[in-house]
Amino acid sequence: MLFVTFLMAAVREALKVCETLEAILKRTFGPSGIDVLLNSASGEILITNNGALILRSLSLETQIGRTIVDKVVSHCSITGDGSTSFILLLTALLRSINTHIDVRATIRVDEISPTLRESYLSLSKGFFKLESQLEEVIGPVFDKISINVDVKDDNISLTRPSITRLIFTALDGSFPGSIVNQLAELLSELVTRICNSSKSLNDSLLQIIDGFSQICIEVPGIPVSSSQITHGIVIPREFATELEKITSPAYKFVILNCSFDYSGPVASSTVQIWDQISLDANLQWKRNQLQKLISRFHKINVRLILSSENISDLALHFCRQHNIAVVNMIPPEFTQYISKSSGIIPIEHLDCDSLDDHFIGTGIFCGVQKVGQKKFVHLEVKLSSPDFIPHSLFLCSPMQGICKQYCIALHNALKCVKMCFSKDGKKLCFLPGSGATEFALSFNLKSLAAKMGDSNLLPAINLLSDALQAIPATLHQNSFSMQNQKDNFVYCLNEMERSLKNDDQLLGISSNSGKPVDPYKLSIFEPLFGKHLLLRSVLQCLSQLLRIDKFVSAKTAI
């Protein structure tokens, strides 16, 4: 079936979808935002104000709707934040475009004039050009209002207060204030413990983000105040042998990604055994090979075996005889994390004659770590790099669902920290929060538009300038402060403009009172490059939507 519609219908559909998404997410925006209850088809219930999580849970039927949500979720997977801001800005821009072109909602496809079509295409070109020149347009504004923190010093504790404030801003509103304080302190402490120096902070942060599911161990059933950070690697398994602690210094360990039972060389042929004598001989031979292998481990001082496979009772019996501790059924991502931290290669096929130093790691400590009623294997190893010192975070909460939300929020907060780093990794670059950055951009874009001579770029700049005010306006609306004339947003906007013009002081909107506040004094900061990527992603999405001319439903997969 071929279904064709035109540009006008595509823009209408995009605006309709965005307004629906805006209605769902708008009240969740900012520290004073409220939550949304999600009820899945399986009956699972989740209460959250995480915009990306809410959008992923929606089942949208339209192609444009799915496209918009995919772009928002993709943006958030990189930056860790900005899903609601994305929808607010995109909706404001589409709404302004319809107002700018003065399109009647009831217009029919056969009434679309060439002039109207050209107006949309001209705007598409203008937003595409604005996106390509975004650095030149917003760069001077960001340079003026940003705060840069030097991270060249070896003492990483000097940068910890800035990281803590950014994490607090990223988490604020997601959970109660006392919980946010605890989580922000925990995460900033985790980062500063893992990173050996400020010089390696950027690279180490990327490793923390990639391996966060192995670093953050969820422990439901106990209060969040019981959360703790421990040195080394924690494996969510218990020992398979009675030996639960290795005290000898510089013991050896290996990682197995294969079955422990000796199966001989890999071959395509199959051997059939018909009599009991041959079967017994074969089993005895395999037993001898297994005993020989474990004796080989003992001879080279291997005291710990970490296996991603299940280990048979016979193999465990031989390990007990040789005083070798065993942890089996370890998730593959944990064996990869241990391998990367220690610099050894996991054993993929057992062969007694090929166990060289590349497969054997050196351990410092191994024992049982107990948190609440749960036991874990606690491992400290000789590291492959001094820049990344493994630590583990036991993240506690009364319920499993809340614990998962804490973990997702902390992971996203780490991505926000990552988006603060300059390209050379030597500076942390922050922008003022509370809608102050959007207001500063809106104010400066209006001044730029007055000097603009480009007919395509001028409308795009004017529309973006108006749309940016949606961020402080929503913060003001969600503060629930509409008691008198001086609390309305128009008054606040005039006050912010007067302060910037006369006093050169940039103000934002308080999420509690809805009144103008100084985000610098309150230490409310957001990542500079996260904001830059947000604007670029919104403009890219918008220019693509304005270029859609036809919908084609294909019979087969593309």
Side-chain angles (χ1 to χ4, degrees), residues 2 7 48 91 102 165 279 283 294 327 333-334 346 356 387 427 487 490 524 536:
L2 181 64
L7 175 65
T48 182
T91 306
D102 191 22
R165 287 306 308 172
L279 177 61
L283 293 175
I294 295 176
V327 184
E333 57 270 19
F334 277 85
D356 56 26
D387 294 332
K427 290 182 179 180
D487 287 340
V490 175
I524 302 174
R536 185 176 295 279

Side-chain angles (χ1 to χ4, degrees), residues 24 37 71 74 111 150 158 199 223 304 376 410 441 467 534:
I24 296 172
L37 188 147
K71 290 185 179 298
S74 176
E111 293 177 338
D150 202 340
L158 298 176
K199 293 179 180 179
L304 175 65
F376 304 89
L410 292 181
L441 278 175
L534 170 65

Side-chain angles (χ1 to χ4, degrees), residues 37 39 48 57 76 94 120 140 148 180 185 189 227 233 238 306 328 339 360 414 445 453 457 476 513 556:
L37 188 147
N39 187 10
T48 182
S57 69
C76 292
L94 287 169
Y120 273 98
N148 299 325
V180 169
E185 289 293 337
E189 182 182 352
S227 299
I233 300 169
E238 295 187 33
L306 304 172
N328 62 353
S339 171
I360 303 171
L414 284 174
L445 286 176
L457 200 55
H476 180 271
S513 66
T556 59

